[in-house]
Amino acid sequence: MFAAFQCVIRRDLLLALRRRSDIFTTLFFFIIVVSLFPLGVGPDADILRLIAPGIMWVAALLASMLALERLFANDYADGSLEQMMLTPQPLFLLVLGKVIAHWLVTGLPLVLIAPLLGVQYDLSSEGITVLLLTLLLGTPVLSLIGAIGAALTLGVRGGGVLVSLLVLPLYIPVLIFGAGAVEASVSGLGAEGHIYLLGAILIMALCFAPLAAAAALRISME
């Protein structure tokens, strides 16, 4: 069972490396959006520190959505998704493998580049550390929730817009606690409460999102 899980991750990572556009599109979108705000707002460090948490998290949220539509679409188009559903392996485990590969390709690069971009906003080392930690906890949740939307809109014309409409309201708690943790850290308040809540959301998403996405895939394939 876990061999199939690992095989799905390796396969999707290999396909992503052969089609690097998804990786670079997501990463460059995040970098450009985050870098444009200091040019428009001005060099005032106090203002930049104030708006940094919201901008960094909104940019990460929007960037993570760019490749969501293709999470299952390519496998659906070439028939491999149907073959996965016919295997005796639990579908939710295969879905979890695809989500992990999606996060490694689109979410992890954002986490790694975020500390460098945080310097533009004059964030302290403590603020950058909290930003890194919240993105590390929050971006997997974005991929897990996004998988449900991608599964529900599989094969639907204009699926990209529908995915956005479906998952954006579900992203709000992650956005609030992620940006709130960084803001609390920058303000000198404790960010532990926000981080614990983000961790709890991640655990819940890991438990239930693959099941929900697998059920949505079965409905979409019928």
Side-chain angles (χ1 to χ4, degrees):
M1 184 169 66
F2 289 101
F5 172 71
Q6 294 173 358
C7 181
V8 169
I9 295 177
R10 281 199 303 269
R11 170 184 174 273
D12 279 21
L13 289 178
L14 182 61
L15 290 174
L17 290 175
R18 290 178 179 174
R19 190 181 58 248
R20 295 185 178 88
S21 60
D22 286 351
I23 304 174
F24 291 121
T25 300
T26 303
L27 186 59
F28 287 155
F29 179 87
F30 180 65
I31 294 172
I32 290 171
V33 171
V34 173
S35 301
L36 282 178
F37 276 90
L39 299 176
V41 173
D44 191 320
D46 292 333
I47 295 177
L48 291 177
R49 276 195 300 272
L50 184 65
I51 64 174
I55 290 174
M56 298 284 283
W57 257 98
V58 169
L61 186 151
L62 295 176
S64 69
M65 295 180 60
L66 291 178
L68 271 184
E69 186 183 2
R70 293 185 291 278
L71 181 57
F72 301 113
N74 293 332
D75 292 337
Y76 174 70
D78 64 18
S80 54
L81 181 61
E82 188 175 2
Q83 297 302 316
M84 288 183 192
M85 296 178 70
L86 293 174
T87 62
Q89 309 300 331
L91 183 57
F92 77 89
L93 199 61
L94 302 182
V95 169
L96 181 60
K98 291 188 68 63
V99 172
I100 290 174
H102 176 267
W103 178 76
L104 289 173
V105 170
T106 62
L108 187 58
L110 305 188
V111 176
L112 296 177
I113 198 69
L116 185 61
L117 297 176
V119 175
Q120 296 183 84
Y121 290 84
D122 198 34
L123 287 178
S124 63
S125 58
E126 185 180 352
I128 289 177
T129 303
V130 173
L131 173 67
L132 184 65
L133 185 57
T134 56
L135 287 174
L136 201 57
L137 291 171
T139 48
V141 179
L142 302 182
S143 294
L144 286 162
I145 294 175
I148 302 173
L152 285 172
T153 58
L154 186 65
V156 176
R157 182 177 298 178
V161 178
L162 286 176
V163 169
S164 304
L165 294 175
L166 284 172
V167 302
L168 274 177
L170 301 176
Y171 282 172
I172 291 175
V174 183
L175 174 64
I176 290 174
F177 294 124
V182 183
E183 186 178 351
S185 174
V186 171
S187 303
L189 305 174
E192 291 83 2
H194 295 82
I195 292 173
Y196 290 151
L197 285 170
L198 264 182
I201 293 174
L202 175 59
I203 292 172
M204 288 181 62
L206 276 171
C207 292
F208 296 111
L211 294 170
L217 280 177
R218 295 192 188 280
I219 293 172
S220 298
M221 294 290 287
E222 287 180 357

